[in-house]
């Protein structure tokens, strides 16, 4: 072959190689520029809509990066397909772009789902007094958000694996033996699955909600976070209790904000028998009226126990929520203790010891001892006498929790049971069933 023909063929091959490298590179660069400009244009349009819509503003903030990623992958894929001929490296590059597209689309769908969930949360405010419904919706939305993320991740992983022929064959074999694998997986992950189902149950049965005040494991705190597997309780001293979701479905606990946030709190004091109860009740009323912690629903003082050497006095007060009630109880306790120290020091708890009197003389000593006059009984300062009955019963309506007023009677109806007619009906039904079981 002639030398000039060889040189011409070499030049042609070099030119083809340069063209095969330069054209795809320029096409990819152009595609990147077009994708960036398109994403910028869409961001400007959505930003203009966001001036009048909070949903559009949230959409712009959350979907800006995933939208750019999706447009970039699509543009590079189209540019590479149009500028190159089928080859091994192009098939590998398109496979990588397909995986990248699956990941970016899952990212974009997740951001759109978050926008919808944020829009649902904005309709329900929790910074109001009665926010029970809003807290329930917030709890459910948080659980749905985690479920959405888990489903998107699983779907993305499954879609990526299906792009490999070997993975598709493995998936077919796994599908054939799905029954055995499901049994083995269920036994291996029994506790984890139990927590997942318990988390779903807590979210949608309204047993607890975010910001509920609860008492769990002898700790008083607030529900800070509910996930599919565990619940975070923010204890009053800023500790966090991490409890599995199954704890709240299998163990009794206290929910102080299940129906309402207002609560009743007690302050109990053990005092001496000489305590002036009426004066102490008046002091409690004064303390409650002088503070803004009291919601003016309930404020009474009662003697709940009087055995042994002490008298137990219980002050009952109400507040709008649990934190306010905590401060109110401390305030009432400090006030009553100070009043006892200043005004009624004889009421402070004390322990009495009384010696045994000597046995009376017998025999000649008793005959020789002249009869003595009976020892007069001297009044004890502060002791009760029959004349004090009117004083003790004065102001009895203010000292009653379940009787003495319309509010107290209404409160007592909640604890009075199903009623005598219902009880009689139950007894009659039990008798009928008992007779039916006799031979």
């Amino acid at each position: 072959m002639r030398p000039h023909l060889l040189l011409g063929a070499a030049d042609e091959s070099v030119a083809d190689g340069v063209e095969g490298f330069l054209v795809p590179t320029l096409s990819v660069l152009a595609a990147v520029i077009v994708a960036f400009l398109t994403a910028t244009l869409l961001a400007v349009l959505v930003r203009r809509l966001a001036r009048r819509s909070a949903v559009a503003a949230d959409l712009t903030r959350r979907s800006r990066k995933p939208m750019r990623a999706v447009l970039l992958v699509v543009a590079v894929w189209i540019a590479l397909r149009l500028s190159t001929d089928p080859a091994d490296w192009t098939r590998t590059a398109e496979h990588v772009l397909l995986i990248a597209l699956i990941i970016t689309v899952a990212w974009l769908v997740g951001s759109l789902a978050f926008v919808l969930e944020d829009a649902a949360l904005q309709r329900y405010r929790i910074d109001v007094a009665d926010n029970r419904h809003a807290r329930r919706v917030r709890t459910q939305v948080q659980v749905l958000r985690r479920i959405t993320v888990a489903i998107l991740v699983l779907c993305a992983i499954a879609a990526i694996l299906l792009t490999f022929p070997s993975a598709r064959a493995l998936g077919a074999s796994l599908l054939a033996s799905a029954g055995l694998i499901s049994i083995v997986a269920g036994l291996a992950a029994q506790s984890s699955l139990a927590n997942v189902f318990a988390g779903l149950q807590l979210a949608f049965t309204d047993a607890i909600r975010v910001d509920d005040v609860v008492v769990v494991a002898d700790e008083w705190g607030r529900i800070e976070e509910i996930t599919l597997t565990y619940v975070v309780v923010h204890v009053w001293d800023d500790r966090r209790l991490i409890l599995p979701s199954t704890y709240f479905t299998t163990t009794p606990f206290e929910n102080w904000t299940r129906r309402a946030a207002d609560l009743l709190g007690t302050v109990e004091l053990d005092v001496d028998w000489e305590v002036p109860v009426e004066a102490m009740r008046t002091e409690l009323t004064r303390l409650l009226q002088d503070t803004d912690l009291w919601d003016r629903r309930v404020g009474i003082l009662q003697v709940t126990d009087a055995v042994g050497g002490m008298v137990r006095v219980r002050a009952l007060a109400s507040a709008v929520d649990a934190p306010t009630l905590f401060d109110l109880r401390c305030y009432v306790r400090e006030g009553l203790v100070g009043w006892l120290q200043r005004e009624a020091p004889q009421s402070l708890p004390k322990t009495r010891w009384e010696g045994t009197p000597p046995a009376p003389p017998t025999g000649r000593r008793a005959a020789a001892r002249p009869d003595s006059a009976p020892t007069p009984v001297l009044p004890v300062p502060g002791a009760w006498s029959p004349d004090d009955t009117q004083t003790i019963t004065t102001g009895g309506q203010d000292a009653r929790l379940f009787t003495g007023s319309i509010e107290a009677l209404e409160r007592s109806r909640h604890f009075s049971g199903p009623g005598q007619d219902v009880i009689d009906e139950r007894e009659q039904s039990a008798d009928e069933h008992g007779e039916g079981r006799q031979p």
Side-chain angles (χ1 to χ4, degrees):
M1 185 177 294
R2 297 179 181 180
H4 66 278
L5 294 177
L6 294 174
L7 292 175
D11 294 338
E12 185 177 356
S13 63
V14 171
D16 292 340
V18 172
E19 183 180 0
F21 173 77
L22 185 60
V23 172
T25 302
L26 294 177
S27 300
V28 170
L29 292 177
V32 171
I33 295 174
V34 171
F36 181 77
L37 293 177
T38 304
T40 304
L41 180 60
L42 291 176
V44 171
L45 294 177
V46 177
R47 193 177 298 112
R48 288 186 177 181
L49 296 175
R51 297 176 181 177
R52 293 173 294 179
S53 174
V55 177
D58 192 23
L59 179 63
T60 302
R61 180 177 60 85
R62 288 189 176 274
S63 64
R64 181 174 65 252
K65 292 181 179 180
M67 178 61 70
R68 288 180 179 178
V70 171
L71 292 176
L72 179 62
V73 173
V74 172
V76 171
W77 196 349
I78 294 175
L80 192 63
R81 177 66 65 87
L82 295 177
S83 62
T84 59
D85 296 327
D88 293 339
W89 73 271
T90 56
R91 285 190 289 269
T92 303
E94 289 181 358
H95 191 193
V96 173
L97 291 174
L98 177 59
I99 295 175
L101 181 63
I102 293 173
I103 295 175
T104 54
V105 168
W107 186 12
L108 179 61
V109 173
S111 64
L112 296 179
F114 282 10
V115 170
L116 296 178
E117 293 167 357
D118 291 340
L121 291 178
Q122 289 177 0
R123 297 181 55 187
Y124 301 95
R125 299 175 54 189
I126 61 174
D127 55 348
V128 295
D130 189 6
N131 57 4
R132 291 182 292 113
H133 183 61
R135 289 187 289 110
R136 180 180 62 184
V137 173
R138 181 174 292 270
T139 301
Q140 295 174 354
V141 168
Q142 287 183 357
V143 175
L144 286 176
R145 177 172 295 182
R146 290 179 172 85
I147 294 176
T148 302
V149 173
I151 292 176
L152 287 175
V153 171
L154 291 177
C155 291
I157 293 175
I160 292 173
L161 292 177
L162 290 177
T163 60
F164 297 93
S166 58
R168 288 198 296 267
L170 180 61
S173 62
L174 290 178
L175 184 62
S177 59
L180 179 59
I181 291 177
S182 61
I183 294 175
V184 174
L187 293 176
Q190 183 177 3
S191 59
S192 300
L193 292 177
N195 281 320
V196 171
F197 288 116
L200 293 174
Q201 179 180 350
L202 292 177
F204 294 98
T205 57
D206 206 20
I208 55 174
R209 294 161 295 209
V210 175
D211 289 335
D212 268 350
V213 179
V214 295
V215 178
V216 293
D218 296 330
E219 297 285 354
W220 171 59
R222 177 182 63 89
I223 300 296
E224 186 176 52
E225 186 179 4
I226 299 177
T227 68
L228 290 178
T229 56
Y230 63 89
V231 178
V232 180
V233 180
H234 184 188
V235 187
W236 65 274
D237 55 0
D238 284 341
R239 289 180 294 129
R240 262 74 174 179
L241 288 180
I242 311 298
L243 300 172
S245 300
T246 52
Y247 178 89
F248 292 90
T249 58
T250 59
T251 306
F253 64 94
E254 297 181 22
N255 190 339
W256 288 5
T257 54
R258 180 68 174 82
R259 293 298 181 188
D262 47 356
L263 295 168
L264 297 179
T266 60
V267 173
E268 293 186 339
L269 299 176
D270 288 337
V271 294
D272 193 75
W273 284 74
E274 297 183 0
V275 60
V277 177
E278 286 301 323
M280 194 173 184
R281 183 174 293 123
T282 303
E283 177 64 16
L284 173 64
T285 303
R286 186 192 67 80
L287 289 172
L288 294 177
Q289 291 178 351
D290 290 345
T291 179
D292 57 350
L293 302 174
W294 185 44
D295 63 358
R296 301 185 180 277
R297 289 189 302 116
V298 177
I300 59 176
L301 186 138
Q302 296 173 312
V303 177
T304 59
D305 203 358
V307 295
M310 299 293 176
V311 172
R312 176 160 296 179
V313 179
R314 185 183 70 178
L316 188 63
S318 58
V320 294
D321 52 30
T324 307
L325 180 64
F326 181 84
D327 290 340
L328 179 62
R329 292 173 62 190
C330 295
Y331 166 78
V332 171
R333 188 180 294 109
E334 294 174 2
L336 292 180
V337 169
W339 178 83
L340 289 173
Q341 294 173 348
R342 295 189 311 269
E343 305 296 335
Q346 75 279 4
S347 304
L348 297 178
K350 58 179 69 72
T351 303
R352 296 180 174 87
W353 294 90
E354 183 177 355
T356 304
T362 58
R364 296 180 179 179
R365 294 182 179 179
R369 182 177 179 179
D371 296 336
S372 59
T375 303
V377 179
L378 299 178
V380 179
W384 176 83
S385 64
D387 297 335
D388 297 335
T389 303
Q390 183 65 31
T391 303
I392 291 177
T393 57
T394 303
Q397 291 186 354
D398 295 336
R400 298 176 183 177
L401 178 61
F402 296 106
T403 57
S405 64
I406 298 178
E407 292 81 2
L409 293 175
E410 183 66 25
R411 191 180 302 112
S412 68
R413 292 192 183 98
H414 296 289
F415 302 94
S416 59
Q420 188 62 38
D421 52 346
V422 178
I423 296 176
D424 295 339
E425 183 179 353
R426 292 177 180 176
E427 292 180 354
Q428 182 179 0
S429 177
D431 293 338
E432 292 176 357
H433 289 294
E435 295 174 357
R437 287 192 297 267
Q438 294 178 357

